[in-house]
Amino acid sequence: MKLLDIYEKSDMFRCAKGGGLAIETASLFVSGIVLREIFLPQIAFEDCREGYSFEQVWFALCLYHDKRMESESRWKRACQERAEWETGQWESRNIGANDKWEPMHLCLSPLFQYSGEGMKFTNGAQVTGAAFSEGEIRDYFYFRSACSREGGMDHGIAGGLMLYESLVRRHLKQRGNLGREDLDLYSYAANTMMVHNIWKGDKTMHRIIPKKDPMLFLLILADALEPLQYAAESADYRYLLKCVEAEVSEQKIRLRWNPECFVIEGLEENLRNMQKKIKVDYKIWRETAEICITM
């Protein structure tokens, strides 16, 4: 089956209209939904907090997963928007107004430990805090900003902070007061985005599994497999999706890529990085540009 045939079943993909961000968002969203059905069937929040379903939080993550989040101009605009909100508004609600995440002034800081039993999922997973401490995330943020060969901020951390602000501001505008459970949910979404690019060396003991944190597992997996990021040259996204054959079965997906349309070396590198962060198996056949992902 062509990958496009699978994508076409999604309303999100069919409704995406022009512009790189919309298509990238839709592609990551669909990739995650497909992988969820294969590797985490029926996964959902055990309690649907504040009316947010698993799919809605997944869409929010996809929406803010954008490498352009790293750009200085993007953050200058965001800081200008923040200036429109008086600092007192944040502080009076005790939601963490601070300037810890330079150069992002007045940035709201998510919680890194959650109240009560934390975030619970229908597969028995229970997440009580971020996969990394606030200090570790901040250290990585500053190191990435100063030392990365690409330069700029890490798009996961930048996107996560912006996602948190967006969710909090939307809540304050529409519903008013914030409860601790609200902040737990918004912080969990932000932390999932913030840590998905980070791992502790090559130590497999730290790898994420669905029973530990299903949404973080899904984001790392979908981020590695989303196909449009590997396009060898500019081409219509529908054409590119026709150039990937997909074979799906329980706990396994096999993809055959047209090597003339995609940079397979980039895919290989991302798969290696993926396996450092999550517990999943893959095989790749470079001669045929075919990969197989299994649990």
Side-chain angles (χ1 to χ4, degrees), residues 81-139:
E81 292 172 5
R82 289 191 194 96
E84 297 172 3
W85 289 72
E86 294 180 4
T87 303
Q89 282 187 290
W90 304 125
E91 292 177 339
S92 66
R93 292 176 171 83
N94 192 28
I95 56 178
N98 62 80
D99 58 0
K100 291 184 292 187
W101 300 91
E102 294 289 352
M104 297 171 283
H105 303 289
L106 298 178
C107 183
L108 301 179
S109 183
L111 307 174
F112 293 91
Q113 296 295 319
Y114 314 133
S115 61
E117 296 180 327
M119 305 301 301
K120 297 178 70 175
F121 295 85
T122 51
N123 70 338
Q126 185 173 346
V127 185
T128 58
F132 294 87
S133 71
E134 179 181 5
E136 289 174 318
I137 298 171
R138 287 180 62 199
D139 286 346

Short mmCIF file of all heavy atoms in Angstrom, two decimals, residues 81-139:
data_model
loop_
_atom_site.label_atom_id
_atom_site.label_comp_id
_atom_site.label_asym_id
_atom_site.label_seq_id
_atom_site.Cartn_x
_atom_site.Cartn_y
_atom_site.Cartn_z
N GLU A 81 4.94 39.59 22.13
CA GLU A 81 3.59 39.21 22.50
C GLU A 81 3.46 39.07 24.01
O GLU A 81 2.46 39.48 24.61
CB GLU A 81 3.21 37.88 21.82
CG GLU A 81 3.07 37.99 20.30
CD GLU A 81 2.90 36.63 19.67
OE1 GLU A 81 2.78 35.64 20.42
OE2 GLU A 81 2.89 36.55 18.43
N ARG A 82 4.49 38.49 24.64
CA ARG A 82 4.44 38.32 26.09
C ARG A 82 4.39 39.65 26.81
O ARG A 82 3.80 39.77 27.88
CB ARG A 82 5.67 37.54 26.57
CG ARG A 82 5.65 36.10 26.18
CD ARG A 82 6.74 35.34 26.90
NE ARG A 82 6.90 34.06 26.26
CZ ARG A 82 7.82 33.82 25.34
NH1 ARG A 82 8.64 34.76 24.97
NH2 ARG A 82 7.90 32.63 24.80
N ALA A 83 5.06 40.65 26.23
CA ALA A 83 5.11 41.95 26.88
C ALA A 83 3.72 42.57 27.01
O ALA A 83 3.50 43.46 27.82
CB ALA A 83 6.02 42.89 26.10
N GLU A 84 2.77 42.10 26.19
CA GLU A 84 1.42 42.62 26.26
C GLU A 84 0.69 42.15 27.52
O GLU A 84 -0.34 42.71 27.89
CB GLU A 84 0.64 42.19 25.00
CG GLU A 84 1.25 42.75 23.71
CD GLU A 84 0.59 42.16 22.48
OE1 GLU A 84 -0.36 41.37 22.66
OE2 GLU A 84 1.02 42.48 21.35
N TRP A 85 1.20 41.12 28.11
CA TRP A 85 0.59 40.60 29.34
C TRP A 85 1.41 41.13 30.53
O TRP A 85 2.61 40.94 30.58
CB TRP A 85 0.64 39.07 29.36
CG TRP A 85 -0.30 38.46 28.39
CD1 TRP A 85 -0.19 38.45 27.04
CD2 TRP A 85 -1.50 37.76 28.69
NE1 TRP A 85 -1.23 37.78 26.47
CE2 TRP A 85 -2.05 37.34 27.47
CE3 TRP A 85 -2.14 37.43 29.89
CZ2 TRP A 85 -3.24 36.63 27.40
CZ3 TRP A 85 -3.33 36.71 29.81
CH2 TRP A 85 -3.86 36.32 28.59
N GLU A 86 0.78 41.78 31.46
CA GLU A 86 1.48 42.29 32.63
C GLU A 86 2.00 41.13 33.46
O GLU A 86 1.29 40.15 33.71
CB GLU A 86 0.57 43.16 33.47
CG GLU A 86 0.12 44.43 32.77
CD GLU A 86 -0.80 45.26 33.64
OE1 GLU A 86 -1.02 44.85 34.81
OE2 GLU A 86 -1.27 46.29 33.15
N THR A 87 3.24 41.28 33.94
CA THR A 87 3.83 40.21 34.75
C THR A 87 2.95 39.86 35.93
O THR A 87 2.81 38.71 36.33
CB THR A 87 5.23 40.64 35.23
OG1 THR A 87 6.02 40.97 34.09
CG2 THR A 87 5.89 39.52 36.02
N GLY A 88 2.29 40.86 36.50
CA GLY A 88 1.43 40.63 37.65
C GLY A 88 0.33 39.63 37.39
O GLY A 88 -0.12 38.92 38.29
N GLN A 89 -0.14 39.57 36.12
CA GLN A 89 -1.19 38.60 35.79
C GLN A 89 -0.71 37.19 36.04
O GLN A 89 -1.44 36.35 36.55
CB GLN A 89 -1.61 38.76 34.32
CG GLN A 89 -2.53 39.95 34.06
CD GLN A 89 -3.01 39.91 32.63
OE1 GLN A 89 -2.24 40.14 31.70
NE2 GLN A 89 -4.27 39.59 32.44
N TRP A 90 0.54 36.93 35.60
CA TRP A 90 1.08 35.58 35.79
C TRP A 90 1.31 35.32 37.28
O TRP A 90 0.92 34.30 37.82
CB TRP A 90 2.40 35.42 35.04
CG TRP A 90 2.35 35.71 33.59
CD1 TRP A 90 3.12 36.60 32.90
CD2 TRP A 90 1.51 35.10 32.61
NE1 TRP A 90 2.80 36.59 31.57
CE2 TRP A 90 1.82 35.67 31.37
CE3 TRP A 90 0.51 34.13 32.67
CZ2 TRP A 90 1.18 35.31 30.19
CZ3 TRP A 90 -0.13 33.77 31.49
CH2 TRP A 90 0.20 34.35 30.28
N GLU A 91 1.98 36.25 37.94
CA GLU A 91 2.39 36.02 39.32
C GLU A 91 1.19 35.88 40.25
O GLU A 91 1.22 35.09 41.19
CB GLU A 91 3.31 37.16 39.77
CG GLU A 91 4.65 37.16 39.04
CD GLU A 91 5.53 38.33 39.44
OE1 GLU A 91 5.00 39.32 39.95
OE2 GLU A 91 6.74 38.23 39.22
N SER A 92 0.13 36.63 39.97
CA SER A 92 -1.04 36.56 40.84
C SER A 92 -1.70 35.20 40.79
O SER A 92 -2.42 34.81 41.70
CB SER A 92 -2.04 37.65 40.46
OG SER A 92 -2.57 37.38 39.16
N ARG A 93 -1.46 34.45 39.73
CA ARG A 93 -2.04 33.11 39.62
C ARG A 93 -1.03 32.03 39.98
O ARG A 93 -1.28 30.85 39.84
CB ARG A 93 -2.58 32.89 38.20
CG ARG A 93 -3.80 33.76 37.89
CD ARG A 93 -4.22 33.58 36.45
NE ARG A 93 -5.50 34.24 36.19
CZ ARG A 93 -5.62 35.53 35.91
NH1 ARG A 93 -4.54 36.30 35.88
NH2 ARG A 93 -6.80 36.06 35.68
N ASN A 94 0.16 32.44 40.38
CA ASN A 94 1.18 31.50 40.84
C ASN A 94 1.47 30.41 39.80
O ASN A 94 1.48 29.23 40.10
CB ASN A 94 0.75 30.84 42.16
CG ASN A 94 1.89 30.09 42.82
OD1 ASN A 94 3.05 30.44 42.63
ND2 ASN A 94 1.57 29.06 43.57
N ILE A 95 1.69 30.81 38.56
CA ILE A 95 1.94 29.83 37.51
C ILE A 95 3.34 29.94 36.95
O ILE A 95 3.63 29.45 35.87
CB ILE A 95 0.91 29.96 36.37
CG1 ILE A 95 0.89 31.38 35.81
CG2 ILE A 95 -0.46 29.57 36.85
CD1 ILE A 95 -0.08 31.53 34.66
N GLY A 96 4.22 30.60 37.67
CA GLY A 96 5.64 30.48 37.34
C GLY A 96 6.19 31.47 36.35
O GLY A 96 6.97 31.09 35.48
N ALA A 97 5.85 32.75 36.44
CA ALA A 97 6.50 33.74 35.58
C ALA A 97 7.96 33.85 35.99
O ALA A 97 8.28 33.94 37.16
CB ALA A 97 5.82 35.09 35.72
N ASN A 98 8.86 33.81 35.04
CA ASN A 98 10.29 33.84 35.36
C ASN A 98 11.09 34.19 34.12
O ASN A 98 10.55 34.29 33.02
CB ASN A 98 10.73 32.48 35.87
CG ASN A 98 10.56 31.40 34.83
OD1 ASN A 98 11.37 31.27 33.93
ND2 ASN A 98 9.47 30.65 34.92
N ASP A 99 12.38 34.38 34.31
CA ASP A 99 13.25 34.65 33.16
C ASP A 99 14.40 33.64 33.12
O ASP A 99 15.51 33.95 32.73
CB ASP A 99 13.78 36.09 33.21
CG ASP A 99 14.56 36.36 34.51
OD1 ASP A 99 14.67 35.43 35.34
OD2 ASP A 99 15.04 37.48 34.67
N LYS A 100 14.10 32.40 33.52
CA LYS A 100 15.15 31.37 33.58
C LYS A 100 15.58 30.87 32.21
O LYS A 100 16.65 30.30 32.07
CB LYS A 100 14.67 30.18 34.41
CG LYS A 100 14.53 30.49 35.89
CD LYS A 100 14.16 29.26 36.70
CE LYS A 100 12.78 28.76 36.40
NZ LYS A 100 12.37 27.66 37.30
N TRP A 101 14.72 31.06 31.22
CA TRP A 101 15.00 30.48 29.91
C TRP A 101 15.42 31.58 28.93
O TRP A 101 14.76 31.86 27.95
CB TRP A 101 13.77 29.73 29.38
CG TRP A 101 13.35 28.63 30.29
CD1 TRP A 101 12.46 28.70 31.32
CD2 TRP A 101 13.83 27.28 30.28
NE1 TRP A 101 12.35 27.48 31.94
CE2 TRP A 101 13.17 26.60 31.33
CE3 TRP A 101 14.75 26.59 29.49
CZ2 TRP A 101 13.41 25.25 31.59
CZ3 TRP A 101 14.97 25.25 29.75
CH2 TRP A 101 14.31 24.60 30.79
N GLU A 102 16.55 32.22 29.20
CA GLU A 102 17.07 33.23 28.29
C GLU A 102 17.29 32.58 26.93
O GLU A 102 17.69 31.41 26.86
CB GLU A 102 18.38 33.81 28.82
CG GLU A 102 18.22 34.59 30.12
CD GLU A 102 17.51 35.91 29.92
OE1 GLU A 102 17.29 36.29 28.76
OE2 GLU A 102 17.17 36.56 30.91
N PRO A 103 17.13 33.30 25.81
CA PRO A 103 16.74 34.70 25.72
C PRO A 103 15.23 34.92 25.69
O PRO A 103 14.75 35.85 25.07
CB PRO A 103 17.36 35.13 24.40
CG PRO A 103 17.22 33.90 23.55
CD PRO A 103 17.41 32.73 24.48
N MET A 104 14.48 34.05 26.34
CA MET A 104 13.03 34.11 26.28
C MET A 104 12.51 34.77 27.55
O MET A 104 12.18 34.11 28.52
CB MET A 104 12.45 32.71 26.09
CG MET A 104 12.89 32.10 24.77
SD MET A 104 12.44 30.36 24.62
CE MET A 104 13.69 29.63 25.65
N HIS A 105 12.44 36.07 27.58
CA HIS A 105 12.06 36.81 28.77
C HIS A 105 10.58 36.58 29.10
O HIS A 105 9.75 36.38 28.23
CB HIS A 105 12.32 38.30 28.56
CG HIS A 105 13.74 38.60 28.21
ND1 HIS A 105 14.77 38.48 29.13
CD2 HIS A 105 14.34 38.96 27.05
CE1 HIS A 105 15.91 38.79 28.54
NE2 HIS A 105 15.67 39.07 27.27
N LEU A 106 10.27 36.61 30.38
CA LEU A 106 8.91 36.45 30.89
C LEU A 106 8.28 35.13 30.45
O LEU A 106 7.09 35.02 30.26
CB LEU A 106 8.01 37.62 30.44
CG LEU A 106 8.43 39.00 30.93
CD1 LEU A 106 7.48 40.04 30.37
CD2 LEU A 106 8.45 39.07 32.45
N CYS A 107 9.14 34.14 30.28
CA CYS A 107 8.62 32.84 29.84
C CYS A 107 8.03 32.09 31.03
O CYS A 107 8.60 32.08 32.11
CB CYS A 107 9.73 32.01 29.22
SG CYS A 107 9.17 30.46 28.58
N LEU A 108 6.89 31.48 30.84
CA LEU A 108 6.29 30.65 31.88
C LEU A 108 7.02 29.33 31.96
O LEU A 108 7.35 28.73 30.94
CB LEU A 108 4.82 30.40 31.57
CG LEU A 108 3.94 31.63 31.45
CD1 LEU A 108 2.52 31.22 31.12
CD2 LEU A 108 3.98 32.45 32.71
N SER A 109 7.27 28.87 33.15
CA SER A 109 8.00 27.63 33.34
C SER A 109 7.04 26.52 33.74
O SER A 109 6.34 26.65 34.75
CB SER A 109 9.06 27.81 34.42
OG SER A 109 9.83 26.64 34.56
N PRO A 110 6.99 25.43 33.01
CA PRO A 110 6.10 24.33 33.37
C PRO A 110 6.54 23.65 34.65
O PRO A 110 7.69 23.77 35.08
CB PRO A 110 6.20 23.39 32.16
CG PRO A 110 7.53 23.69 31.55
CD PRO A 110 7.75 25.15 31.77
N LEU A 111 5.63 22.91 35.25
CA LEU A 111 5.98 22.08 36.40
C LEU A 111 6.81 20.90 35.90
O LEU A 111 6.62 20.42 34.78
CB LEU A 111 4.71 21.55 37.07
CG LEU A 111 3.65 22.59 37.47
CD1 LEU A 111 2.41 21.87 37.99
CD2 LEU A 111 4.19 23.55 38.50
N PHE A 112 7.71 20.40 36.74
CA PHE A 112 8.51 19.25 36.35
C PHE A 112 8.18 18.02 37.18
O PHE A 112 8.65 16.92 36.88
CB PHE A 112 10.00 19.60 36.42
CG PHE A 112 10.38 20.63 35.40
CD1 PHE A 112 10.34 21.98 35.69
CD2 PHE A 112 10.74 20.25 34.11
CE1 PHE A 112 10.66 22.93 34.74
CE2 PHE A 112 11.06 21.19 33.15
CZ PHE A 112 11.02 22.54 33.46
N GLN A 113 7.36 18.20 38.21
CA GLN A 113 6.80 17.08 38.98
C GLN A 113 5.30 17.33 39.07
O GLN A 113 4.86 18.46 39.28
CB GLN A 113 7.42 17.01 40.37
CG GLN A 113 8.91 16.70 40.38
CD GLN A 113 9.23 15.32 39.82
OE1 GLN A 113 8.51 14.35 40.10
NE2 GLN A 113 10.28 15.21 39.02
N TYR A 114 4.52 16.25 38.91
CA TYR A 114 3.07 16.39 38.86
C TYR A 114 2.44 15.97 40.19
O TYR A 114 3.01 15.18 40.95
CB TYR A 114 2.50 15.58 37.70
CG TYR A 114 3.27 15.76 36.42
CD1 TYR A 114 3.65 14.68 35.64
CD2 TYR A 114 3.67 17.03 36.00
CE1 TYR A 114 4.37 14.85 34.47
CE2 TYR A 114 4.40 17.21 34.84
CZ TYR A 114 4.76 16.11 34.07
OH TYR A 114 5.50 16.29 32.93
N SER A 115 1.27 16.47 40.44
CA SER A 115 0.60 16.22 41.71
C SER A 115 -0.08 14.85 41.72
O SER A 115 -0.35 14.26 40.67
CB SER A 115 -0.43 17.31 41.99
OG SER A 115 -1.41 17.33 40.97
N GLY A 116 -0.36 14.37 42.92
CA GLY A 116 -1.11 13.12 43.07
C GLY A 116 -0.45 11.95 42.37
O GLY A 116 0.75 11.71 42.51
N GLU A 117 -1.24 11.25 41.57
CA GLU A 117 -0.73 10.08 40.86
C GLU A 117 -0.16 10.44 39.49
O GLU A 117 0.17 9.55 38.71
CB GLU A 117 -1.84 9.04 40.71
CG GLU A 117 -2.33 8.49 42.05
CD GLU A 117 -3.42 7.46 41.88
OE1 GLU A 117 -4.22 7.58 40.93
OE2 GLU A 117 -3.50 6.53 42.70
N GLY A 118 -0.10 11.73 39.18
CA GLY A 118 0.47 12.15 37.91
C GLY A 118 -0.44 11.85 36.74
O GLY A 118 -1.66 11.77 36.87
N MET A 119 0.16 11.67 35.59
CA MET A 119 -0.57 11.37 34.36
C MET A 119 -0.70 9.86 34.20
O MET A 119 0.31 9.15 34.09
CB MET A 119 0.15 11.99 33.15
CG MET A 119 0.41 13.48 33.27
SD MET A 119 -1.10 14.46 33.48
CE MET A 119 -1.98 14.01 31.99
N LYS A 120 -1.94 9.37 34.16
CA LYS A 120 -2.17 7.93 34.07
C LYS A 120 -2.77 7.58 32.71
O LYS A 120 -3.60 8.32 32.18
CB LYS A 120 -3.10 7.48 35.20
CG LYS A 120 -2.52 7.70 36.59
CD LYS A 120 -3.49 7.30 37.68
CE LYS A 120 -3.68 5.81 37.72
NZ LYS A 120 -4.56 5.38 38.85
N PHE A 121 -2.35 6.43 32.18
CA PHE A 121 -2.79 5.99 30.86
C PHE A 121 -3.46 4.63 30.97
O PHE A 121 -3.27 3.89 31.93
CB PHE A 121 -1.59 5.91 29.90
CG PHE A 121 -0.96 7.24 29.61
CD1 PHE A 121 0.00 7.78 30.47
CD2 PHE A 121 -1.32 7.98 28.49
CE1 PHE A 121 0.58 9.00 30.21
CE2 PHE A 121 -0.75 9.21 28.23
CZ PHE A 121 0.21 9.72 29.09
N THR A 122 -4.23 4.31 29.93
CA THR A 122 -5.01 3.09 29.95
C THR A 122 -4.17 1.82 29.83
O THR A 122 -4.68 0.72 30.04
CB THR A 122 -6.06 3.10 28.81
OG1 THR A 122 -5.40 3.42 27.57
CG2 THR A 122 -7.14 4.13 29.09
N ASN A 123 -2.89 1.94 29.49
CA ASN A 123 -2.02 0.76 29.46
C ASN A 123 -1.31 0.55 30.79
O ASN A 123 -0.42 -0.30 30.90
CB ASN A 123 -0.98 0.89 28.34
CG ASN A 123 0.07 1.96 28.62
OD1 ASN A 123 -0.16 2.89 29.41
ND2 ASN A 123 1.21 1.87 27.95
N GLY A 124 -1.69 1.33 31.81
CA GLY A 124 -1.08 1.18 33.13
C GLY A 124 0.09 2.12 33.39
O GLY A 124 0.60 2.17 34.51
N ALA A 125 0.52 2.85 32.38
CA ALA A 125 1.63 3.79 32.56
C ALA A 125 1.20 4.92 33.49
O ALA A 125 0.05 5.36 33.46
CB ALA A 125 2.07 4.36 31.21
N GLN A 126 2.15 5.35 34.30
CA GLN A 126 1.90 6.44 35.24
C GLN A 126 3.13 7.35 35.24
O GLN A 126 4.20 6.94 35.66
CB GLN A 126 1.63 5.88 36.63
CG GLN A 126 1.24 6.91 37.66
CD GLN A 126 0.81 6.26 38.98
OE1 GLN A 126 0.56 5.06 39.04
NE2 GLN A 126 0.73 7.05 40.03
N VAL A 127 2.96 8.57 34.75
CA VAL A 127 4.08 9.52 34.64
C VAL A 127 3.92 10.56 35.74
O VAL A 127 2.95 11.31 35.77
CB VAL A 127 4.10 10.20 33.26
CG1 VAL A 127 5.34 11.08 33.12
CG2 VAL A 127 4.06 9.16 32.14
N THR A 128 4.88 10.60 36.64
CA THR A 128 4.80 11.51 37.79
C THR A 128 5.67 12.74 37.64
O THR A 128 5.60 13.65 38.48
CB THR A 128 5.18 10.77 39.09
OG1 THR A 128 6.51 10.24 38.95
CG2 THR A 128 4.22 9.63 39.36
N GLY A 129 6.50 12.77 36.60
CA GLY A 129 7.35 13.93 36.39
C GLY A 129 8.05 13.85 35.05
O GLY A 129 7.99 12.82 34.35
N ALA A 130 8.74 14.92 34.68
CA ALA A 130 9.46 14.96 33.41
C ALA A 130 10.56 13.90 33.40
O ALA A 130 11.10 13.53 34.44
CB ALA A 130 10.06 16.35 33.19
N ALA A 131 10.90 13.42 32.20
CA ALA A 131 11.92 12.39 32.06
C ALA A 131 13.29 12.89 32.48
O ALA A 131 14.16 12.09 32.84
CB ALA A 131 11.96 11.90 30.61
N PHE A 132 13.50 14.20 32.43
CA PHE A 132 14.74 14.81 32.89
C PHE A 132 14.39 15.92 33.87
O PHE A 132 13.30 16.49 33.81
CB PHE A 132 15.54 15.39 31.72
CG PHE A 132 16.04 14.34 30.76
CD1 PHE A 132 15.25 13.91 29.71
CD2 PHE A 132 17.29 13.78 30.91
CE1 PHE A 132 15.68 12.94 28.83
CE2 PHE A 132 17.75 12.80 30.04
CZ PHE A 132 16.95 12.38 28.99
N SER A 133 15.31 16.23 34.76
CA SER A 133 15.07 17.29 35.72
C SER A 133 15.11 18.64 35.03
O SER A 133 15.66 18.79 33.93
CB SER A 133 16.12 17.25 36.83
OG SER A 133 17.39 17.66 36.33
N GLU A 134 14.55 19.65 35.71
CA GLU A 134 14.59 21.01 35.16
C GLU A 134 16.03 21.44 34.92
O GLU A 134 16.35 22.04 33.90
CB GLU A 134 13.90 21.97 36.11
CG GLU A 134 13.91 23.42 35.64
CD GLU A 134 13.23 24.37 36.61
OE1 GLU A 134 12.84 23.93 37.71
OE2 GLU A 134 13.09 25.55 36.27
N GLY A 135 16.92 21.11 35.86
CA GLY A 135 18.33 21.49 35.70
C GLY A 135 18.97 20.85 34.49
O GLY A 135 19.72 21.50 33.75
N GLU A 136 18.67 19.57 34.25
CA GLU A 136 19.24 18.87 33.09
C GLU A 136 18.73 19.48 31.78
O GLU A 136 19.49 19.66 30.82
CB GLU A 136 18.89 17.39 33.14
CG GLU A 136 19.62 16.62 34.22
CD GLU A 136 19.14 15.19 34.34
OE1 GLU A 136 17.91 14.96 34.28
OE2 GLU A 136 19.97 14.29 34.50
N ILE A 137 17.44 19.81 31.75
CA ILE A 137 16.86 20.39 30.54
C ILE A 137 17.46 21.77 30.28
O ILE A 137 17.82 22.11 29.15
CB ILE A 137 15.33 20.48 30.65
CG1 ILE A 137 14.73 19.08 30.78
CG2 ILE A 137 14.74 21.17 29.42
CD1 ILE A 137 13.24 19.08 31.11
N ARG A 138 17.60 22.56 31.32
CA ARG A 138 18.18 23.89 31.15
C ARG A 138 19.63 23.81 30.71
O ARG A 138 20.08 24.57 29.85
CB ARG A 138 18.06 24.68 32.45
CG ARG A 138 16.66 25.15 32.77
CD ARG A 138 16.62 25.92 34.07
NE ARG A 138 17.44 27.12 34.00
CZ ARG A 138 17.89 27.77 35.06
NH1 ARG A 138 17.61 27.33 36.27
NH2 ARG A 138 18.61 28.87 34.91
N ASP A 139 20.39 22.88 31.30
CA ASP A 139 21.80 22.70 30.90
C ASP A 139 21.89 22.34 29.42
O ASP A 139 22.74 22.87 28.69
CB ASP A 139 22.47 21.61 31.74
CG ASP A 139 22.76 22.05 33.16
OD1 ASP A 139 22.70 23.27 33.42
OD2 ASP A 139 23.06 21.18 34.00
#
